[in-house]
Amino acid sequence: MKVNLRYFASIREAIGTGSESLDTGATTLTALRDELIARGGAHADALARGRAVRVSLNQTMADESAALVDGAEVAFFPP
């Protein structure tokens, strides 16, 4: 499935972009975050477990257990 990612504030600065599209097999926000962390580098640092990161799904604050759907917009930002 394809999702659109948005990064804000310090996460955007660390990753070096404000947005990207991603083809993913992830079915939840948790799995998506883990997939991004597995990329290594800036993604791993900015989204690492233990770091306070908020997530929204289609412009609504979401728990990381929320299910992804094709075409979803997911935003990551610091608290």
Side-chain angles (χ1 to χ4, degrees):
M1 93 178 66
K2 188 168 209 121
V3 295
N4 298 304
L5 305 176
R6 305 284 183 253
Y7 305 109
F8 293 94
S10 60
I11 296 172
R12 177 184 183 152
E13 292 171 14
I15 292 175
T17 187
S19 64
E20 66 178 302
S21 292
L22 177 70
D23 285 320
T24 181
T27 58
T28 65
L29 293 174
T30 297
L32 177 62
R33 185 173 175 182
D34 289 342
E35 181 179 325
L36 293 169
I37 290 168
R39 285 183 171 182
H43 284 86
D45 293 338
L47 300 172
R49 294 289 168 197
R51 289 191 65 142
V53 175
R54 298 181 103 185
V55 183
S56 71
L57 178 60
N58 296 324
Q59 300 181 0
T60 301
M61 294 305 298
D63 181 89
E64 284 197 30
S65 64
L68 283 175
V69 294
D70 191 41
E73 179 183 84
V74 179
F76 294 96
F77 50 95

